[in-house]
Amino acid sequence: MAVPLPPTNGPLTPSQSSESDLTNTTFRRRYPEIAREIADHRATPAAPRSGPTEQDRPVARNAKLRRRNRELTTQLALAAAQIQHLALHNERLQEALEEASNVTSINSRTPHR
């Protein structure tokens, strides 16, 4: 049911009525159809969304990026630990090779006086 609007110089909603020094009670008394329509509109539940809104997309993207960042950080820490392990293992193998071949490393020689 369409409700005729009051004259354009009059208030249209209770919030606009406060701007023109018209109280909510006066607004409801003078424009009962509009007041009822506003109340009915506020009481009606919002229609369910059909998909993500403009605000939901960046939130979802940020969550996805954070998950990926955590995965990559974990992989990087694991790779660094493996590199450290390989470096230590390589050093042990190098020392074992030097001992087995009776070769002295230049770095391990003591300076002569």
Side-chain angles (χ1 to χ4, degrees):
M1 171 175 142
V3 177
L5 296 176
T8 55
N9 59 355
L12 297 177
T13 66
S15 64
Q16 290 173 331
S17 68
S18 64
E19 294 172 7
S20 64
D21 296 329
L22 185 65
T23 64
N24 284 344
T25 305
T26 305
F27 177 85
R28 284 181 172 79
R29 208 176 304 129
R30 288 187 185 173
Y31 310 106
E33 297 86 14
I34 295 173
R36 201 172 309 113
E37 184 180 331
I38 291 170
D40 291 344
H41 178 72
R42 287 181 180 169
T44 306
R49 296 181 193 162
S50 61
T53 64
E54 289 295 320
Q55 296 168 345
D56 294 338
R57 287 187 194 115
V59 171
R61 180 170 165 72
N62 285 346
K64 183 178 178 181
L65 289 173
R66 283 189 183 103
R67 280 191 305 273
R68 183 67 177 141
N69 193 12
R70 278 193 300 272
E71 291 170 5
L72 292 174
T73 300
T74 302
Q75 290 175 3
L76 180 62
L78 180 61
Q82 289 176 338
I83 290 170
Q84 289 173 342
H85 173 74
L86 289 173
L88 292 172
H89 187 67
N90 183 44
E91 185 178 343
R92 278 189 243 121
L93 289 174
Q94 191 71 29
E95 288 172 357
L97 178 64
E98 288 174 3
E99 285 179 17
S101 62
N102 202 15
V103 175
T104 304
S105 172
I106 295 175
N107 295 335
S108 65
R109 287 189 1 189
T110 56
H112 294 287
R113 291 190 177 190

